[in-house]
Amino acid sequence: MDANNRSATLSCEFFPPRTEAGVEKLLTAQQTLHATFQPAYYSVTFGAGGTTRDSTLEIVKLLAEKNISVAPHISCIGSSKQQIKDLLEQYITLGVTRLVTLRGDIPDNGESTKELSHANELVSFIRETTGNHFTIEVAAYPEYHPESQSPQSDFEHFKNKVAAGADGAITQYFYNIDAYLHFIDNCQKENITIPVTPGIMPITNFASLTKFSDVCGAEIPRWIRKQLEAYADDKESLQAFGLDVVSTLCNQLLAQGAPGLHFYTLNQASSTNAIWKNLSL
Ligand code: FAD
């Protein structure tokens, strides 16, 4: 990895809002982020259900029509092959050239369409149907996927996604840099050369961070958790501490040669912009 990374690819993630006001907020956030550091692209998350699927397409359309570089997330868990094929065609028509390709979270009721069961199968399907049109990003889990049977099998499954044709990977967020460096070591041992971009979650709210981390299997180190807990309702101190922790993590990652950073913005520009201003790029 090259140290003192000056050509880092910085990207931002949005989720499709449920209301018109939410859409306005997202557009304002995009403009603010663009004015600050011109992210290389904006990804838009994907829900397995029909409504959320449609709202991803709507936001992608809105951004693509403004000539904003957009990368829709696409998952296979709740969609038939035909639905995926139709969606890919719509994305090609909109000029989309990058996808974040996932299995998706299993719905709470456990029901899902299972023509394609895992992300590697979706990557293969996209390659079969659209060739090399799309740059394909897949998910990587330095702290392991919560359903994984063992670290080895989880890494084997990651390798399958690369073998199926992934061009890059974006990680689940983490606050422990050693987990990422260990993952990169494993990639190097296996001659996996695709860029693995760390996913960065700003710390702004203790309750929601804990809840989300428990579900997705991201560890909040004890020293961070204890400090956040101690701030309780002192939002200002909590956010200043969170900014310091995450900015330090980002700078360490870039110094260690991470190919870029992918910010989970939660549709807000302020914390991502504040981290960006602290980066020594
Ligand atoms: P996979 O790579 O298929 O892996 C899922 C699990 O199955 C892992 O435990 C893996 O080890 C195991 N596995 C893989 N292949 C096999 C096999 N052949 N046999 C047995 N086990 C296997 N979720 C959404 O719903 N919408 C989004 O927009 C979204 N965006 C995300 C973006 C990023 C960057 C990340 C990191 C995650 C995102 N997620 C999203 C969450 C993701 O969908 C979940 O983590 C999901 O549970 C797994 O998706 P995957 O693509 O990693 O699946």
Side-chain angles (χ1 to χ4, degrees), residues 88 97 99 120-137 162-168:
L88 293 173
T97 58
L99 296 171
N120 66 307
E121 294 168 32
L122 179 57
V123 175
S124 297
F125 182 70
I126 295 172
R127 286 290 178 233
E128 275 163 33
T129 49
T130 62
N132 285 332
H133 177 84
F134 293 106
T135 297
I136 298 182
E137 305 285 345
V162 179
D167 298 293

Side-chain angles (χ1 to χ4, degrees), residues 13 44-47 73 75 100-105 117-120 139-141 145 147-148 153-154 157 160-161 170-172 264:
E13 183 170 307
V44 181
T45 62
F46 186 82
H73 294 209
S75 76
V100 181
T101 302
L102 307 139
R103 182 198 69 178
D105 280 323
S117 304
H118 291 102
N120 66 307
Y141 300 87
H145 185 264
E147 290 164 41
S148 71
S153 69
D154 209 32
H157 296 141
N160 291 342
K161 297 194 270 197
I170 301 171
T171 75
Q172 184 56 275
Y264 296 112

Side-chain angles (χ1 to χ4, degrees), residues 12-17 22-34 39-45 54-73 91 93-98 265 267:
C12 291
E13 183 170 307
F14 292 138
F15 63 85
V23 174
E24 285 309 313
K25 206 175 132 202
L26 182 154
L27 291 175
T28 306
Q30 187 278 326
Q31 283 166 8
T32 314
L33 291 161
H34 180 77
Y41 67 88
Y42 299 85
S43 79
V44 181
T45 62
D54 292 346
S55 48
T56 302
L57 178 60
E58 276 161 31
I59 295 298
V60 169
K61 221 181 245 176
L62 198 61
L63 296 177
E65 282 167 1
K66 291 177 187 290
N67 283 327
I68 295 164
S69 179
V70 60
H73 294 209
Y91 286 149
T93 308
L94 287 171
V96 170
T97 58
R98 186 188 292 264
T265 69
N267 294 2

